[in-house]
Amino acid sequence: MNEMKPNTDQIRTADPHDYDHSHPDISGGWLRAAVFGAMDGLVSNIALIAGIGAAGASAPVILVTGSAGLVAGAFSMALGEYASVKTANEQVHSELAIEIAAHERNPEGEIHELARHFNSMGMSDKTAAAAAREIHENKAVAARVHITQELGIDPHSNPSPWIAAFSSFAMFAAGAAVPLIPYILGFDSLILGLGIGAIGLLLAGGISARFTRKSFVKSALRQLVFGGIAVGATYLIGMLLGVSEI
């Protein structure tokens, strides 16, 4: 006996993610930290070696300065990311505690507040009131829904400060190392270092576009332009000051 197969409409309404599309997990916070770290590492260290190179510093000085910038910047980025993400998460949970306390004091008022949110989203008054009352049968869920509706943040999907810190540290170090490659290999050429740095900016901008589904070329050129502004400014300062005045 042949098994009955679901029709196309049943498949489409079962779970669109099974047949039509899918989404990556973006709750961990690693992507923003990684992109920020890589871009900052590239731009800051390219600009740094451009400035001291234009001032007339030797290759060993450029290598030492760039390496110091890499280490200092990587730790600074990691600590900053951890502190900022941790603080943001603590603020969200603080607001969640306030919401839970409000539900204890005035449950009916909170139900009506949630119903108004649902009503503003397009639900009829009757449906919004029924949905809000049903959600409030579970206090933990109700508080979570209120925070999501009022702040646009899910308190159960906070990014990890550790993941943000490690992502930022690793990608800053990787980005900052790119313009130092010629000096590490024994070359004494500021132009070569800046050229490799420019390639790094293009690649970093293009790769980030893969996650946002934007144009590879536009994203790459945008990062190159932004980096070029910083490099141009520090190069000019280096020329004006000169190594004897630093």
Side-chain angles (χ1 to χ4, degrees), residues 168-200:
S168 182
F169 182 94
M171 296 309 297
F172 183 99
V178 170
L180 298 178
I181 291 175
Y183 298 98
I184 295 172
L185 296 177
F187 293 97
D188 182 6
S189 173
L190 178 61
I191 296 299
L192 184 58
L194 296 181
I196 292 178
I199 294 173

Side-chain angles (χ1 to χ4, degrees), residues 15-23:
D15 189 348
H17 286 176
D18 288 341
Y19 81 93
D20 180 67
H21 67 282
S22 62
H23 299 292

Side-chain angles (χ1 to χ4, degrees), residues 176-243:
V178 170
L180 298 178
I181 291 175
Y183 298 98
I184 295 172
L185 296 177
F187 293 97
D188 182 6
S189 173
L190 178 61
I191 296 299
L192 184 58
L194 296 181
I196 292 178
I199 294 173
L201 288 169
L202 288 169
L203 289 176
I207 291 172
S208 67
R210 175 181 177 276
F211 297 97
T212 59
R213 300 180 181 88
K214 300 297 182 181
S215 168
F216 181 98
V217 174
K218 287 183 179 180
S219 183
L221 291 177
R222 177 181 62 192
Q223 190 56 36
L224 180 63
V225 170
F226 288 167
I229 294 172
V231 171
T234 54
Y235 188 89
L236 179 61
I237 292 173
M239 284 198 308
L240 293 175
L241 292 178
V243 79

